[in-house]
Amino acid sequence: MCGFAGFLDSPARFTDNCEEVARRMAERIAHRGPDDSGTWCDAEAGIAFGHRRLSIIDLSSAGHQPMPSPNGRFVLAYNGEIYNHLDLRRQLEAQGAAPAWRGHSDTETLLACIEAWGIEHSLRASVGMFAFALWDRADRALVLARDRMGEKPLYYGWQGDTLLFGSELKALRAHPAFNAAVDRGALALLLRHNYVPAPYSIYQGIGKLPPGTWVRIVAGQRDIRPTPYWSLAEVAEHGVANPFDGSENEALDELERLLGNSVKGQMLSDVPLGALLSGGIDSSTITALMQAGSARPVRTFTIGFEERAHDEANHARAVAAHLGTEHTELRLGAADSLQLIPQLPAMYDEPFADSSQLPTHLVMKLARRSVTVALSGDAGDEIFGGYNRYFLGPKVWRRIGWLPPPARRALGAAMLALPAPAVNRLAGPFARRVGIALPGDKMHKLGLRMRTVGSMDDLYASLVTEWPHAERMVVDGRIPPNLVDDRDRWPKLADPVARMMAMDALTYLPDDILAKVDRASMAVSLETRAPFLDRDVIAFGWSLPMSMKIRGGKGKWLLRRLLDRHVPRALIDRPKMGFGIPLDDWLRGPLREWAESLLSAERLRREGYFDPRPIRETWERHVQGNGSFGYRLWSVLMFQAWLEQQEPR
């Protein structure tokens, strides 16, 4: 695991300090690679790379980057792991296309593949998580590429006449050409989704390379259009059109084989390795498969909460005890969050408002004390149908969808008009009527949805929205073109639940979950790996009929059966909790003074990004207990905290 940065400029503007600039850019992301550093510069071509290395495979100097190819044509700066790189070496050797290997790093393997097969073939053949920058000295062309699901980040964009690129925005900020102007369209999207979705970033002119794509940039080219080499939407459509035709037991055996192979491949490491264990289905399955293939106890790590309603540590402890892992646990309270919050803006580079970023970082910090690599259960929900909205959404829609739109709007408005105590009194009878348990704050949210939805797709769009009409909150705000709003670009799947799952995998997974995990782990120089994101596991998951994912009002049916082979169901069978924190209570209590200072009306007016009125109204309702709006307010707070730490340019 590593980090890189660089720039492409006119040779006429290059100076003798190009390597120094590249070094400063890479130094900003030293946490991604504390073990080694390097720079490379070709002033005549106007290109410079800086690199930081976290040594995982081949700890020797043979893995040093930026790395030139044996024939000198290519230079590579690379971040990630290619799990099948030894297989790729064997293929090259069988074809007589392998160089005289200098070491056993996957960086060297990737370079050899590109030299022998070209970019497209090499990307399709590689299994892993990665982002890289490649300079072709013969064609004077820069190639940027990102892995299939977006596990590893890659930012790029023109700032004046200089193209900047790198693993994190802080590296780009170190270049003299960087312009730190905020993109107000991206800010509106942040308020709507609690993250800035690709292809945007919080800065004007800088974007994220979409997952599964690559770009080739030659001198003078300003219009950069990513080329896909793999498409999740196509994989989903193909899987649904060509479903698995075996029995349930055969599907179970195939899932164990594919996921077991993925876990085995991702346990390849020259440094200590462990697992992040929450005690839920996904992380428990990964840990069980790791332990089944290991001769010694796997090291496992979990975070617990002082508030029992959010605490899963005892479940993780029970799973660890059953599997015989070497388990470590740490408890989190509001005081821990207060200490961590000032670090979040620098850690995430752009405002990021998934509040589980707090415990996620702390569990990474805990794991890093003992290991350098940790496997996680991320992506099990999107592939195997784990989120509550996949089965509760259709249930709600069956109960209210028959109402004429005016009646739905009137009922929703009435629910929103009631004070929180009254809504709480109504929650019980409503829950019995529709067969869904909904606390008062969820009833308020349902009321908001009912005013605007006319279909299951509308319901999904509303469920992934925190601030409705977020553009009205932002001074000079707008909602730029994006996938959630452009339904012509949604995967062509007849089942609305399948569309939800695919959309989550295309948006929420890479831009929220994987971004959160990458920044939280790399901030402490820990590499994380997600076996569920193996391309064969993804393809198999999409070939399964929905009945093998959602059954009996629960998700991940087949995955649960796989876990039954390793862990007693009594240790796992409970409602899904997620990895959230008691944010609503903390904002009314220990975080209230901090939040109040960031949300003062005078401050909001002075900074000029937000309309203070709706924010103050929402904040006052929240602290008075007339609704729970913690997750909505967190996006504003994270932007404010980020803005406070921005360096003047």
Side-chain angles (χ1 to χ4, degrees):
M1 190 62 60
C2 308
F4 65 87
F7 57 97
L8 178 63
D9 209 338
S10 165
R13 280 191 300 272
F14 251 57
T15 62
D16 293 338
N17 72 338
C18 63
E19 289 201 42
E20 174 60 21
V21 173
R23 187 198 63 78
R24 288 202 302 267
M25 294 176 73
E27 190 64 28
R28 292 287 187 94
I29 52 174
H31 51 277
R32 298 188 73 93
D35 299 330
D36 190 21
S37 64
T39 58
W40 175 85
C41 178
D42 184 344
E44 291 185 4
I47 184 73
F49 289 164
H51 190 268
R52 298 291 310 202
R53 184 185 181 202
L54 175 63
S55 301
I56 303 293
I57 303 293
D58 193 346
L59 310 186
S60 75
S61 60
H64 177 78
Q65 295 187 52
M67 183 181 289
S69 62
N71 68 0
R73 175 175 176 177
F74 301 106
V75 179
L76 177 67
Y78 161 74
N79 167 30
E81 300 289 347
I82 296 177
Y83 305 125
N84 69 331
H85 88 97
L86 295 179
D87 290 335
L88 297 178
R89 286 193 173 206
R90 285 189 282 270
Q91 292 178 38
L92 290 168
E93 289 163 357
Q95 296 172 6
W101 302 111
R102 294 168 287 180
H104 63 277
S105 75
D106 55 343
T107 309
E108 187 180 6
T109 305
L110 178 59
L111 259 178
C113 290
I114 292 170
E115 195 171 63
W117 301 334
I119 293 291
E120 187 87 18
H121 184 158
S122 299
L123 288 170
R124 293 179 182 275
S126 297
V127 175
M129 54 178 183
F130 53 82
F132 65 78
L134 178 86
W135 179 248
D136 183 339
R137 302 179 79 171
D139 293 346
R140 291 205 168 191
L142 174 68
V143 171
L144 304 175
R146 195 173 178 203
D147 64 62
R148 290 172 176 82
M149 294 299 294
E151 288 185 75
K152 293 295 101 186
L154 181 48
Y155 294 90
Y156 71 110
W158 288 102
Q159 299 284 273
D161 293 324
T162 305
L163 179 76
L164 305 179
F165 53 90
S167 299
E168 295 186 22
L169 286 169
K170 60 175 63 69
L172 278 61
R173 284 184 62 92
H175 193 282
F178 188 83
N179 177 7
V182 169
D183 184 330
R184 293 178 185 249
L187 179 54
L189 288 171
L190 168 71
L191 264 59
R192 191 167 83 170
H193 299 299
N194 282 351
Y195 59 86
V196 178
Y200 304 105
S201 87
I202 195 63
Y203 294 118
Q204 292 180 18
I206 301 295
K208 303 177 180 85
L209 185 67
T213 68
W214 64 287
V215 294
R216 185 174 184 271
I217 304 148
V218 296
Q221 178 186 352
R222 301 288 303 206
D223 185 16
I224 303 174
R225 297 188 181 184
T227 299
Y229 66 88
W230 187 88
S231 166
L232 175 70
E234 291 178 2
V235 169
E237 292 164 2
H238 181 270
V240 170
N242 300 273
F244 180 80
D245 60 0
S247 68
E248 291 177 350
N249 285 335
E250 289 171 334
L252 183 59
D253 290 341
E254 181 66 0
L255 175 59
E256 183 156 35
R257 184 187 71 84
L258 290 172
L259 193 54
N261 286 344
S262 178
V263 168
K264 181 180 178 181
Q266 295 193 22
M267 290 179 71
L268 179 66
S269 174
D270 292 339
V271 293
L273 177 142
L276 307 174
L277 177 62
S278 70
I281 295 167
D282 303 336
S283 66
S284 296
T285 302
I286 297 304
T287 302
L289 293 174
M290 289 178 69
Q291 190 59 72
S294 178
R296 63 180 63 182
V298 171
R299 294 172 177 173
T300 53
F301 308 90
T302 193
I303 288 287
F305 296 97
E306 293 173 357
E307 293 82 355
R308 293 186 60 185
H310 292 263
D311 186 32
E312 286 191 292
N314 57 326
H315 301 297
R317 193 183 316 120
V319 172
H322 176 80
L323 294 174
T325 71
E326 182 182 330
H327 191 59
T328 304
E329 153 185 333
L330 179 70
R331 292 202 165 268
L332 171 68
D336 302 290
S337 298
L338 281 168
Q339 293 177 1
L340 180 58
I341 283 171
Q343 302 173 36
L344 294 177
M347 189 184 306
Y348 283 88
D349 268 344
E350 63 182 352
F352 178 79
D354 182 336
S355 62
S356 65
Q357 65 201 123
L358 294 164
T360 299
H361 175 64
L362 287 171
V363 76
M364 302 300 181
K365 190 174 181 180
L366 176 67
R368 187 62 177 93
R369 297 174 187 171
S370 305
V371 301
T372 310
V373 177
L375 273 62
S376 78
D378 292 313
D381 288 305
E382 291 84 356
I383 299 172
F384 294 99
Y387 291 131
N388 290 334
R389 58 175 165 258
Y390 300 153
F391 34 94
L392 295 186
K395 198 169 187 179
V396 167
W397 185 247
R398 285 196 297 271
R399 299 300 193 276
I400 67 172
W402 60 273
L403 290 170
R408 281 201 304 273
R409 288 193 293 271
L411 180 58
M415 292 167 64
L416 285 171
L418 290 171
V423 174
N424 278 323
R425 288 194 296 272
L426 288 173
F430 183 86
R432 289 190 292 273
R433 171 71 179 86
V434 302
I436 303 170
L438 289 171
D441 62 320
K442 299 294 185 184
M443 288 283 284
H444 259 286
K445 289 184 178 181
L446 180 60
L448 181 64
R449 315 302 185 206
M450 289 173 64
R451 293 191 309 167
T452 57
V453 301
S455 66
M456 275 289 292
D457 287 346
D458 288 345
L459 180 60
Y460 172 76
S462 72
L463 288 171
V464 298
T465 296
E466 281 296 337
W467 287 97
H469 305 296
E471 69 278 10
R472 300 177 188 174
M473 309 281 296
V474 178
V475 176
D476 297 326
R478 61 184 178 85
I479 296 292
N482 65 91
L483 183 58
V484 171
D485 290 336
D486 189 353
R487 297 192 186 173
D488 289 339
R489 294 170 54 206
W490 287 23
K492 305 300 185 290
L493 303 168
D495 185 343
V497 175
R499 289 199 298 276
M500 283 188 181
M501 292 171 58
M503 285 296 294
D504 278 344
L506 287 165
T507 56
Y508 177 68
L509 178 61
D511 293 326
D512 185 307
I513 300 298
L514 299 181
K516 173 186 67 180
V517 169
D518 176 81
R519 305 313 188 278
S521 60
M522 293 311 299
V524 293
S525 307
L526 176 75
E527 174 175 301
T528 53
R529 301 174 177 177
F532 282 115
L533 289 177
D534 178 84
R535 64 180 182 183
D536 293 335
V537 174
I538 293 171
F540 176 71
W542 275 105
S543 74
L544 292 172
M546 195 62 72
S547 62
M548 290 192 194
K549 301 175 188 176
I550 298 173
R551 186 180 297 190
K554 293 182 179 179
K556 296 187 280 199
W557 180 82
L558 192 65
L559 202 57
R560 291 172 187 268
R561 286 198 60 192
L562 173 56
L563 188 55
D564 287 343
R565 292 182 171 182
H566 300 272
V567 174
R569 183 169 295 190
L571 299 183
I572 299 295
D573 200 12
R574 63 184 185 279
K576 182 177 178 62
M577 290 181 66
F579 202 33
I581 62 172
L583 182 61
D584 289 332
D585 294 337
W586 287 0
L587 286 176
R588 296 186 185 104
L591 300 181
R592 180 171 176 173
E593 183 178 349
W594 165 79
E596 181 66 56
S597 70
L598 292 174
L599 299 180
S600 75
E602 189 279 330
R603 180 174 186 161
L604 293 173
R605 278 192 293 269
R606 182 179 71 250
E607 292 166 345
Y609 289 101
F610 295 120
D611 177 357
R613 182 186 53 80
I615 294 172
R616 291 300 308 176
E617 289 176 356
T618 303
W619 170 243
E620 288 163 8
R621 287 183 64 190
H622 181 82
V623 296
Q624 293 167 7
N626 293 322
S628 293
F629 302 104
Y631 292 102
R632 182 175 292 185
L633 291 163
W634 194 246
S635 60
V636 181
L637 288 166
M638 285 294 96
F639 177 81
Q640 291 293 96
W642 172 84
L643 188 65
E644 189 174 54
Q645 291 194 13
Q646 291 304 288
E647 305 166 7
R649 296 192 62 85

